[in-house]
Amino acid sequence: MRIVQPIGIQQMTSREGFGQSKVFACTLGVVIAVAVSLLASSSMAAEESFSGPTFRKGLWRFVRTLELVSPSNVRQKLLEREMTRCVDPTQAMKATFSSPSIGNCRSSRPEKISNRYVFSNRCDYMGPVSTVITVLSDEAYTEVNEVHGQAPRMDRVVARRISDCHEDRASLGQPAATPSEVSHDVEQETADGEPL
């Protein structure tokens, strides 16, 4: 007895199926390779296009002050926090300088004036802010973020490098930091995980 297949349906041998799946796998591999390449080149371009300040990696002390600002320019301190930890502030600056537009908020490019970087409008987790970063050296800077609108406030960060990190000293054969040098490691961070 002979089995007749319906018209329009072709029987695929296991060899044909293997060939098609091999072509699919190859195509998928090429697509993934191209996507990874594009992502890598765009992150390298962003890295190369960074024209902000650079700082020395190490143990940094951050003092953050948050104030409400009244219409008559009277300031009311809401918060003052201090934190000390090992960081590379240049990485945080790269995130600040690559601040993307969010919703209706369009980030402006920073303007460099002497040792200051001025953003007339930067989209941040706080909303649209004007930001001024003043570079004192590769071991110290201040950042002032002013939020305008219904509840104006000023967020000020004073950052200063204190020393090398504990692991840097160990790799250089130097004595480790004393416990008093590495304190306040669990203080508050910003919403994006960056130091104050």
Side-chain angles (χ1 to χ4, degrees), residues 47 49-56 60 88-98 110-112 114-119 132-143:
E47 191 83 16
S49 70
F50 174 70
S51 58
T54 56
F55 300 98
R56 290 183 59 201
W60 282 71
D88 181 357
T90 303
Q91 295 305 315
M93 286 295 158
K94 288 178 182 178
T96 298
F97 275 69
S98 69
E111 180 182 352
K112 185 172 191 247
S114 185
N115 66 332
R116 296 181 311 141
Y117 293 85
V118 179
F119 296 80
V132 177
I133 298 169
T134 305
V135 178
L136 305 171
S137 70
D138 66 347
E139 295 188 341
Y141 70 90
T142 62
E143 180 176 335

Side-chain angles (χ1 to χ4, degrees), residues 183-194:
S183 60
H184 305 99
D185 281 354
V186 289
E187 288 292 303
Q188 181 178 358
E189 299 175 351
T190 61
D192 59 359
E194 297 301 326

Side-chain angles (χ1 to χ4, degrees), residues 8-128:
I9 297 179
Q10 296 178 351
Q11 185 176 20
M12 186 182 342
T13 66
S14 62
R15 187 174 205 175
E16 289 171 334
F18 177 74
Q20 287 178 346
S21 66
K22 190 174 179 181
V23 169
F24 176 75
C26 249
T27 304
L28 183 61
V30 169
V31 169
I32 290 172
V34 169
V36 167
S37 173
L38 288 174
L39 286 173
S41 65
S42 68
S43 67
M44 284 174 41
E47 191 83 16
E48 290 172 5
S49 70
F50 174 70
S51 58
T54 56
F55 300 98
R56 290 183 59 201
K57 181 181 177 183
L59 186 65
W60 282 71
R61 178 176 178 255
F62 299 91
V63 179
R64 178 184 185 189
T65 308
L66 183 61
E67 300 173 323
L68 280 180
V69 181
S70 71
S72 58
N73 206 23
V74 175
R75 298 173 193 275
Q76 176 186 357
K77 189 183 291 186
L78 295 177
L79 165 80
E80 185 168 281
R81 285 266 163 93
E82 185 177 316
M83 178 184 72
T84 304
R85 71 179 208 186
C86 284
V87 294
D88 181 357
T90 303
Q91 295 305 315
M93 286 295 158
K94 288 178 182 178
T96 298
F97 275 69
S98 69
S99 176
S101 297
I102 302 169
N104 291 333
C105 180
R106 301 282 176 244
S107 293
S108 63
R109 297 186 63 81
E111 180 182 352
K112 185 172 191 247
I113 305 167
S114 185
N115 66 332
R116 296 181 311 141
Y117 293 85
V118 179
F119 296 80
S120 58
N121 188 53
R122 188 172 66 82
C123 301
D124 195 281
Y125 71 96
M126 297 183 292

